[in-house]
Amino acid sequence: MILTVTPNPSLDRTYEVRGLHRGALLRAEGDRVEPGGKGVNVSRAVAAAGGRTTAVMPLGGAEGALLARLLDEQGIEVAGVPLAGSTRVNVTLVEPDGTLTKVNAAGPALTAAEAAALLLAVRSRAAHADWIACCGSLPRGPGPEWYAELVARTHRAGARIALDTSGESLTAALAGRPDVVKPNAEELAEAVGRSLATVGDAVKAAEELRARGAGTVLASLGADGQLLVSDGGTYWGHAPVATVRSNVGAGDASLAGFLAAGGHGPAALAAAVAHGAAAVGLPGSAMPGTADLDPASVVTTADIPVDRPLADPRTGGPP
């Protein structure tokens, strides 16, 4: 069972438009409202593939109630922590070539009591989880040490934790030795304080995060595949993608696939790549089910293409 923690969840409204023209009236050719937040997406991906998951998050207002209902309809148990403010709403515009324009709301501020209640909600369910995946940015209120405290409490409960966050929240948590961290290329570069030009540069950066406390680094490199760096070795995986419709949530789907496959070794990396490649071919933040996956197309290897240049992350592409 995978327990997810999303400190700053959202309702995500996505509009498909022919083109983005500043100052113009845009008519959407499709729109949808979906549960949002990185940990929420991990739960959605686990559930879509037939796995068991519980989603812990703060919820407030009519938006929070709708978010909980949408997750319940997808077979996801919701452990909501009451919030005085209202759950945020994010907007995404998707163009035909897959280009995304996102407007993410800041979300409500959490009081000290609400942030503490969120930690307690995780602790009360940790014993029943194979993995705890805590994902996304922190809302206003809690400092970066909140993630570090969550890692420490998870380990005291005897559970394993995967962390998908960035910036000060990631660096503060490394000393607690999270079992898995999952940065993308930009977050990996930010964490080590230098730009990454090649896959080899990304390997060195991942090794540096391990030296600072991370047990395993699963790094999404956009169109350049994914890296797995752990005690068991270093592996690179990739899969072809025929059409990129949306990369929203693709990295979250990758983490779900990785954890559901055990969270270690090249087989788990292959599952992560398959889930990520399937997710970018789906609209909005839709999560792939078993029928969407093409594991036969995935290639994983210990022969790392260290000289391969990393694509510009602004161009999009699969995780």
Side-chain angles (χ1 to χ4, degrees):
M1 200 279 284
I2 296 174
L3 180 74
T4 65
V5 187
T6 310
N8 198 14
S10 63
L11 281 174
D12 285 355
R13 180 171 287 279
T14 300
Y15 296 97
E16 294 184 0
V17 296
R18 285 188 177 274
L20 186 60
H21 305 286
R22 186 180 179 203
L25 171 64
L26 305 179
R27 299 192 183 277
E29 298 190 345
D31 68 274
R32 63 189 61 84
V33 177
E34 296 165 310
K38 295 180 71 63
V40 167
N41 287 337
V42 171
S43 277
R44 292 173 62 218
V46 171
R52 294 190 304 124
T53 182
T54 298
V56 179
M57 69 194 79
L59 294 172
E63 296 82 1
L66 176 56
L67 175 56
R69 180 172 65 80
L70 291 173
L71 290 173
D72 180 70
E73 291 173 354
Q74 296 181 27
I76 297 169
E77 179 187 357
V78 177
V81 173
L83 185 64
S86 294
T87 298
R88 61 181 176 152
V89 179
N90 297 333
V91 175
T92 300
L93 302 180
V94 184
E95 298 176 70
D97 64 356
T99 300
L100 302 179
T101 302
K102 299 189 67 178
V103 181
N104 283 356
L110 264 66
T111 66
E114 291 166 341
L118 194 57
L119 289 172
L120 288 174
V122 177
R123 187 181 70 177
S124 67
R125 293 164 177 82
H128 305 291
D130 295 295
W131 280 96
I132 295 174
C134 190
C135 311
S137 61
L138 284 171
R140 293 172 294 166
E145 67 279 358
W146 188 91
Y147 266 121
E149 179 62 22
L150 178 62
V151 172
R153 291 191 182 203
T154 297
H155 285 163
R156 286 198 296 268
R160 295 176 295 177
I161 185 167
L163 199 60
D164 185 358
T165 188
S166 60
E168 293 182 356
S169 295
L170 173 59
T171 55
L174 288 175
R177 306 191 68 81
D179 300 276
V180 173
V181 297
K182 194 210 162 292
N184 60 30
E186 292 177 275
E187 293 163 348
L188 190 57
E190 180 186 25
V192 298
R194 61 180 182 273
S195 61
L196 308 177
T198 66
V199 172
D201 290 341
V203 172
K204 292 177 182 177
E207 291 171 342
E208 184 173 322
L209 292 194
R210 292 196 67 234
R212 291 161 58 185
T216 292
V217 178
L218 176 67
S220 296
L221 304 180
D224 298 299
Q226 296 193 38
L227 280 174
L228 176 64
V229 183
S230 68
D231 286 338
T234 299
Y235 297 90
W236 177 66
H238 65 98
V241 176
T243 302
V244 175
R245 295 191 65 185
S246 171
N247 60 16
V248 176
D252 309 323
S254 294
L255 180 58
F258 182 75
L259 298 180
H264 60 85
L269 172 63
V273 173
H275 277 74
V280 297
L282 299 174
S285 62
M287 293 291 111
T290 303
D292 300 307
L293 303 177
D294 184 13
S297 70
V298 177
V299 175
T300 59
T301 178
D303 186 13
I304 312 299
V306 293
D307 295 325
R308 175 171 174 154
L310 293 177
D312 185 339
R314 292 170 298 180
T315 64

